[in-house]
Amino acid sequence: MTHRAVAPVASLITILGAVLCSTSLVVAAVKTVVTPATTATNDPFAGCTVGAGTGLSYVRSEVEPFGTVNPSDALNMIAVFQQDRWSNGGAHGLAASVTGNGGKSWTVVPLPFSTCAADSPTDLQYERASDPWVSFGPGVPGNPKGATAYTVSLSFNQSPGKNGNTVGAAVSYDGGANWVHAQSLHGDAATGVALPVPDDNFQFFHDKESVTADPKLPGHAYAVWDVLIGPNMSVEADLHAAAFTDFTLFSKTEDFGQTWSPARVINTSSHPTGQNNQTIGNVIVVDPVSGTLYDFFDQIFSTGSNAGGNPNGVHGFNVAFQKSTDGGNEWTAAQIIAPLLSVGVADPNNVDPRTNKTPAPLRTGDIIPAPAIGPMGELYVVWQDSRFSGRDEIAISRSGDRGATWSTPKRVNTPTGQPAFAGTVAVSSNGTVGVTYYQLGSTSPGSMPTSYFIKEFPPSAVTSMAPGSIESVAATLVAGPFNMLDAPFAAGYFTGDYEALPTVGSNFVPIFVQGACGTSLTCRALTSVTPPANRTPTGNDSTDVYVGTGF
């Protein structure tokens, strides 16, 4: 497939060394190539005009990918992503890039979650879609040797006077080429939570859904997300200025995605204390040994005391989890692992294009923890945290006793004096831990060099008493540097609240977004990122989804 030229991997290491020569960063030799899974010519929604006038649409920009590898065919991989990101929430739709030859070539197909996708069913005809997620599980109907891909969306309307929103689901039985059983999930009437939400109901908004296929039970998959409940909610509502409550919702399929159970509440720990408490970023991992489900999330306590679900008077953002040992029927109370002490990421040398004043904000996964589970049920979670240096970096904690206790958080990235963000963790078949993340280089006006790294290390490095046992591990450059100022602007320069890191045996498969033109600003999504800044979309192929194999 053709694509705008990207610097060879070998030269990227040389470039990075020049950019960061004044730091102590150690970079290992890159082991494999990275290929683009999208291009400037395969945007299925580029001609869609739905929602015109309700924000700035950065066509040909792909952001926020997630990905999965077929357990029955390691050459079959799927990366899902937001296509044509809007400045004020969501995208024209979600799409999937599919390969059957290990990444040598990719085919982009639209997912049926918005009006821009021609095959979306009536109950998913929404103006926008967001928060793509995908997970492969064993078996297809009538064939235990196949594999089913499950995908979900947050679909919603943004036009004035509209607040319709829902969580959508669809499945593929042919490796991602075709998607069927697309449907809006529905709420359990007993919960009193509307799903889907009618346009004229401004009380409910569903957010940050994910889906996880059961690795052992064919046909089983689990979806989880939170719903914000307020007196006058909208997509871009300022939650700190409005009174709201929040529930965590759960739905599952046991018939390969043909039907889903009514969504029901599984976490009310944020609710009894009163208003302005919530969860966000719920993600389930499944213990391959015991079948236990673990739901990880950010537990946010803004109000309340140590009574009514606010343990020990904890406030602010917290990395937390709950678990179910019976397939999601009953869940434990939330257990806090550690405070989440993100301060956000901003570049002091560039401007916010909304104000022409410094600093330039980046929108990152600053309040979204990312979990993983190992082959023997060992648990890991990473998140952005400022505890080590006062700037956001990547923290990790491990539990070897199924969540009863957790190790003291450690820094993953090698400190360079620059922030690291959007961490993702996975565990290979031999127990090796892998963590991917972005890290800024030294910036200057019009330049925000950003690189994507992976570190691989044994479990003992996480629990070691030596404070630098992980940060001293050599980082492998996956891709970059690229200019983050090429990215679309959505409350900050944006590549996604999360990226992905599936595994193939003992190897890791980084799936991520970077700028399409290296360190050049030729591909910028905005007309101007330097004063006088201009957020008008250029229509350039500013960002693409990339996939690395064999790491």
Side-chain angles (χ1 to χ4, degrees):
M1 64 193 296
T2 59
H3 193 267
R4 187 175 286 104
V6 177
V9 170
S11 67
L12 294 179
I13 298 175
T14 302
I15 295 170
L16 183 70
V19 172
L20 298 177
C21 61
S22 63
T23 75
S24 59
L25 180 66
V26 179
V27 180
V30 173
K31 296 184 290 186
T32 72
V33 297
V34 173
T35 58
T38 62
T39 72
T41 62
N42 57 17
D43 179 351
F45 308 135
C48 184
T49 59
V50 173
T54 58
L56 301 172
S57 175
Y58 295 101
V59 297
R60 296 184 179 85
S61 66
E62 295 85 19
V63 298
E64 200 163 77
F66 203 72
T68 187
V69 179
N70 190 326
S72 64
D73 178 6
L75 297 179
N76 177 205
M77 296 180 284
I78 301 172
V80 296
F81 47 90
Q82 294 187 41
Q83 181 68 65
D84 304 349
R85 172 72 195 197
W86 288 91
S87 60
N88 57 349
H92 269 149
L94 306 184
S97 193
V98 181
T99 181
N101 55 20
K104 294 179 181 179
S105 62
W106 295 85
T107 300
V108 173
V109 297
L111 294 175
F113 293 133
S114 67
T115 304
C116 288
D119 57 348
S120 295
T122 301
D123 61 355
L124 289 173
Q125 292 282 319
Y126 290 87
E127 295 171 347
R128 303 185 184 186
S130 188
D131 299 346
W133 209 269
V134 66
S135 182
F136 259 122
V140 297
N143 179 10
K145 294 184 179 180
T148 297
Y150 304 83
T151 188
V152 290
S153 77
L154 169 64
S155 300
F156 62 96
N157 290 326
Q158 178 72 12
S159 294
K162 293 185 176 182
N163 190 49
N165 63 89
T166 195
V167 172
V171 292
S172 176
Y173 303 135
D174 60 3
N178 295 280
W179 296 86
V180 297
H181 302 304
Q183 59 193 282
S184 170
L185 301 188
H186 292 267
D188 183 340
T191 69
V193 176
L195 181 70
V197 179
D199 265 336
D200 59 357
N201 187 322
F202 289 87
Q203 186 178 12
F204 299 96
F205 193 80
H206 299 265
D207 198 16
K208 279 287 179 285
E209 88 301 332
S210 66
V211 66
T212 303
D214 195 299
K216 297 296 184 181
L217 294 176
H220 287 61
Y222 315 101
V224 66
W225 67 96
D226 73 288
V227 57
L228 294 163
I229 307 167
N232 188 28
M233 291 301 300
S234 66
V235 176
E236 298 298 317
D238 182 357
L239 301 182
H240 297 290
F244 68 91
T245 54
D246 179 269
F247 290 118
T248 305
L249 298 182
F250 171 84
S251 177
K252 68 178 179 179
T253 180
E254 297 179 342
D255 59 6
F256 300 96
Q258 296 175 76
T259 63
W260 292 79
S261 66
R264 60 186 181 80
V265 175
I266 63 169
N267 182 354
T268 60
S269 63
S270 63
H271 183 65
T273 61
Q275 297 174 335
N276 293 30
N277 299 318
Q278 70 168 108
T279 72
I280 196 168
N282 290 266
V283 177
I284 288 174
V285 297
V286 183
D287 190 326
V289 179
S290 68
T292 297
L293 310 185
Y294 297 88
D295 174 29
F296 287 81
F297 48 88
D298 181 356
Q299 179 74 71
I300 305 171
F301 288 121
S302 300
T303 63
S305 65
N306 60 356
N310 193 352
N312 302 316
V314 174
H315 283 69
F317 300 98
N318 301 279
V319 182
F321 79 102
Q322 60 184 143
K323 66 180 180 179
S324 171
T325 58
D326 60 2
N329 294 321
E330 300 291 336
W331 292 82
T332 65
Q335 177 181 330
I336 291 176
I337 298 169
L340 192 159
L341 304 176
S342 170
V343 294
V345 180
D347 174 15
N349 295 315
N350 282 284
V351 299
D352 185 329
R354 297 167 298 188
T355 64
N356 272 314
K357 297 179 179 179
T358 58
L362 279 67
R363 176 173 167 176
T364 70
D366 52 1
I367 61 171
I368 308 295
I373 192 163
M376 300 306 295
E378 62 275 31
L379 297 165
Y380 297 86
V381 62
V382 298
W383 66 95
Q384 283 178 224
D385 204 290
S386 64
R387 72 183 66 208
F388 307 109
S389 63
R391 69 183 68 86
D392 273 16
E393 297 182 276
I394 306 302
I396 188 171
S397 182
R398 178 185 189 273
S399 175
D401 53 13
R402 290 172 167 77
T405 59
W406 289 84
S407 63
T408 300
K410 280 195 167 185
R411 176 163 51 192
V412 175
N413 57 285
T414 302
T416 67
Q418 302 290 343
F421 51 95
T424 304
V425 62
V427 187
S428 72
S429 60
N430 63 12
T432 298
V433 183
V435 178
T436 50
Y437 55 91
Y438 293 100
Q439 192 158 22
L440 286 182
S442 298
T443 66
S444 59
S447 176
M448 198 184 294
T450 309
S451 297
Y452 201 65
F453 293 100
I454 186 170
K455 281 198 177 186
E456 302 175 33
F457 44 87
S460 59
V462 186
T463 56
S464 168
M465 297 299 292
S469 59
I470 304 175
E471 63 186 52
S472 62
V473 172
T476 297
L477 176 66
V478 177
F482 68 93
N483 196 338
M484 183 63 77
L485 296 174
D486 278 335
F489 192 90
Y493 290 100
F494 183 58
T495 55
D497 287 338
Y498 50 81
E499 312 294 319
L501 188 61
T503 60
V504 177
S506 60
N507 292 326
F508 297 94
V509 182
I511 300 176
F512 61 100
V513 163
Q514 69 168 335
C517 289
T519 56
S520 168
L521 269 177
T522 307
C523 294
R524 64 185 181 276
L526 284 63
T527 295
S528 175
V529 299
T530 58
N534 184 342
R535 289 189 294 149
T536 303
T538 61
N540 292 337
D541 176 29
S542 62
T543 52
D544 280 306
V545 176
Y546 290 78
V547 180
T549 55
F551 280 85

